[in-house]
Amino acid sequence: MVRLLDDDELGKHPDPAAVLQSWLDSPATSEILSRSEVYRAVGKSRYRTLEHLRQIPADEVLARHEPEVALQILLDACGRSAGRWEALAAAMTFDYDDEKITFGELLDSLAGETAEA
């Protein structure tokens, strides 16, 4: 069973980032704890890394819990490239029933776009 810790408790662990990864790797959650709560806890933690965020569904990172977390990452990824911003907009127009992509897959899709003059 996954037990979420706050950052003060995580700071007492020798490898807080590994604890966050174990939450993401956990195959199931309890009746009390949802995947969304795990994603929120990872997104809010000061011990999160980009690699942690890349594993979370893009809609969770961008809209549901901590959208400001993704802002600087997206600004860095898109820069002044109109093509990348257009690709980001297109990637974010998925329907509720569509297959969810991870934040990492979203970032990877932007990497292939070229800058337009």
Side-chain angles (χ1 to χ4, degrees):
M1 180 175 149
V2 172
R3 182 170 91 71
L4 300 181
L5 307 172
D6 64 25
D7 275 355
D8 291 336
E9 293 173 297
L10 278 171
K12 297 174 186 173
H13 193 276
D15 190 355
V19 174
L20 295 178
Q21 186 60 51
S22 73
W23 298 348
L24 292 171
D25 291 343
S26 176
T29 57
S30 69
E31 294 175 7
I32 300 170
L33 191 64
S34 71
R35 289 305 298 172
S36 189
E37 289 171 311
V38 169
Y39 299 146
R40 182 182 317 117
V42 171
K44 285 185 169 203
S45 176
R46 68 177 174 257
Y47 298 105
R48 73 176 179 276
T49 65
L50 178 57
E51 283 308 308
H52 291 128
L53 294 176
R54 290 178 61 85
Q55 298 169 60
I56 297 174
D59 63 330
E60 293 278 345
V61 175
L62 295 170
R64 294 201 179 157
H65 301 303
E66 303 298 320
E68 65 276 3
V69 169
L71 181 59
Q72 189 60 50
I73 297 167
L74 292 174
L75 288 171
D76 291 344
C78 293
R80 296 182 178 266
S81 169
R84 288 183 182 166
W85 286 109
E86 289 170 8
L88 175 62
M92 292 176 58
T93 59
F94 47 81
D95 290 329
Y96 181 77
D97 294 334
D98 286 350
E99 182 177 333
K100 303 288 185 197
I101 62 170
T102 65
F103 190 59
E105 290 168 330
L106 175 67
L107 292 175
D108 292 346
S109 74
L110 301 176
E113 296 299 321
T114 58
E116 295 177 6

